[in-house]
Amino acid sequence: MDKGKVLIAAPVHEVLTNGLTEAGYELVIAEKISQKAAFDLIKDATGVITSTRLTLNKELLDAASVLKWIGRMGSGMEVIDVPYAESKGIACFSSPEGNCNAVAEHALGMLLSLTKKISSSYLEVKEGKWIRDANRGMELEGKTVGIIGFGHTGSAFAKKLKGFDVNILAYDEEEKPPYAGVTMCTSLAPIFETADIVSFHVPLQKDTFHYLNEEFIRNMKKSFILLNTSRGGVVDTRALYNGLMEKKLMGAALDVVEEEPLESMGPEIKTLLKKMLEMPEILVTPHIAGYSHEALYKMSKALLEKIVTH
């Protein structure tokens, strides 16, 4: 049975392509497609698989006259105008359950590297320096970790932290059920008051843009470590830089930056990032937290199940 064309505009595992083919779809593989080129390829597509390369905005959705569904590899639906898509009868699927473990492991790895000064001291050893006193690490035991956003990734991160004997506070805009070993907060106040570490696991939308800003930093009672494996726009880069310079933050580990990739970065953010990368208390990775080999399979499998059963 011919179910129409599917535009694959993201790297996916063969479990998804094979499954869609078996379900009767014809696939058009264009992992590195541009936004401009998408207008031609999407016009007769029944479905689209995307990650962050395409923005499924009103203009592109209007060009997709027969589109029935959109599959998002991973989480974060900010690249899709979901209300408009749904108003046109287009179903929208994401697969946050597919990469939440990868993100949680990466966040923990960055936190350990930062607090134990693993990356910065390794670079010193490569330069022939053997510095011990200045590279004393900080233990996680007894520290308070504030997790902001307690969906798939936030709760997965909490699960990873439990073996480190930390106090875990979690805040989410939506009411969440109790979670063993985690204190659920109805406001940010307990995190502002007691957190040593703050980790963001939120989507990028109007109310989360620059969530970490000057005011947020002023509200924190302690100098703290920032983790961001969500979206770059959640953190105000200027505020982060100022906070580090003023020692209101003792460190930051970022898998995402406000403007990415580097070649698309504006001069102000590029200058600030360059200055921060010279600081040993900064660790940055190129948006790879949710991009493990296993996550690619799990996201693909989760999307396939949602698409073929909708």
Side-chain angles (χ1 to χ4, degrees):
M1 178 181 175
D2 182 9
K3 290 189 176 181
K5 292 183 180 180
V6 175
L7 173 60
I8 308 289
V12 301
H13 190 276
E14 63 183 14
V15 69
L16 178 55
T17 52
N18 290 345
L20 289 174
T21 300
E22 289 171 9
Y25 291 102
E26 177 189 348
L27 307 187
V28 177
I29 310 293
E31 293 181 5
K32 296 184 179 180
I33 191 172
S34 68
Q35 185 77 12
K36 183 179 179 181
F39 280 86
D40 284 331
L41 291 181
I42 205 171
K43 61 186 178 183
D44 59 348
T46 299
V48 175
I49 301 293
T50 188
S51 56
T52 56
R53 180 168 289 275
L54 292 184
T55 300
L56 278 297
N57 53 21
K58 183 180 184 297
E59 291 73 24
L60 192 55
L61 290 171
D62 282 342
S65 58
V66 296
L67 194 64
K68 294 181 179 179
W69 54 261
I70 301 167
R72 166 72 161 95
M73 289 285 286
S75 59
M77 299 295 273
E78 71 277 1
V79 295
I80 303 168
D81 188 337
V82 175
Y84 188 67
E86 291 179 342
S87 76
K88 292 171 69 70
I90 301 168
C92 299
F93 309 105
S94 62
S95 51
E97 67 273 46
N99 67 348
C100 61
N101 182 71
V103 175
E105 287 188 4
H106 194 90
L108 180 59
M110 294 185 86
L111 177 60
L112 289 170
S113 181
L114 199 63
T115 55
K116 308 303 179 188
K117 302 191 177 181
I118 293 171
S119 180
S120 57
S121 62
Y122 162 70
L123 292 174
E124 290 174 352
V125 173
K126 283 187 72 173
E127 294 175 356
K129 302 173 184 177
W130 193 265
I131 303 169
R132 296 187 69 216
D133 285 349
N135 283 311
R136 290 191 185 193
M138 180 184 88
E139 295 184 19
L140 297 183
E141 184 181 27
K143 301 299 188 295
T144 297
V145 182
I147 299 176
I148 299 177
F150 206 67
H152 285 91
T153 57
S155 57
F157 185 46
K159 182 179 178 181
K160 304 299 179 191
L161 286 170
K162 285 185 179 180
F164 289 86
D165 296 322
V166 296
N167 305 308
I168 305 173
L169 305 178
Y171 172 75
D172 196 288
E173 290 286 343
E174 298 179 6
E175 186 175 347
K176 300 291 182 179
Y179 194 98
V182 176
T183 300
M184 304 301 295
C185 304
T186 57
S187 75
L188 289 171
I191 292 175
F192 288 147
E193 197 68 31
T194 64
D196 303 284
I197 299 155
V198 174
S199 187
F200 282 101
H201 301 272
V202 296
L204 181 60
Q205 49 199 36
K206 287 184 179 179
D207 61 342
T208 62
F209 178 71
H210 285 183
Y211 203 137
L212 187 286
N213 53 26
E214 299 280 2
E215 182 181 4
F216 186 104
I217 294 170
R218 281 197 303 271
N219 286 332
M220 291 292 293
K221 302 303 181 188
K222 301 179 183 179
S223 180
F224 66 102
I225 291 173
L226 168 70
L227 303 178
N228 187 21
T229 53
S230 60
R231 290 292 181 267
V234 169
V235 172
D236 181 339
T237 308
R238 170 65 67 179
L240 172 60
Y241 174 76
N242 290 339
L244 288 163
M245 292 299 291
E246 296 166 8
K247 305 301 181 185
K248 293 176 181 177
L249 283 93
M250 67 175 78
L254 312 172
D255 180 56
V256 288
V257 291
E258 192 168 352
E259 296 171 6
E260 55 180 74
L262 295 180
E263 55 266 27
S264 301
M265 190 174 288
E268 180 186 7
I269 303 299
K270 185 176 289 187
T271 298
L272 291 170
L273 180 62
K274 184 178 180 180
K275 289 179 179 179
M276 287 191 290
L277 288 173
E278 295 173 356
M279 305 176 184
E281 59 268 29
I282 283 288
L283 186 59
V284 180
T285 53
H287 203 152
I288 55 173
Y291 202 50
S292 70
H293 295 288
E294 294 84 355
L296 193 68
Y297 168 79
K298 289 187 280 187
M299 288 185 292
S300 298
K301 188 172 185 293
L303 271 186
L304 177 64
E305 291 172 355
K306 293 174 184 179
I307 290 164
V308 298
T309 59
H310 90 283

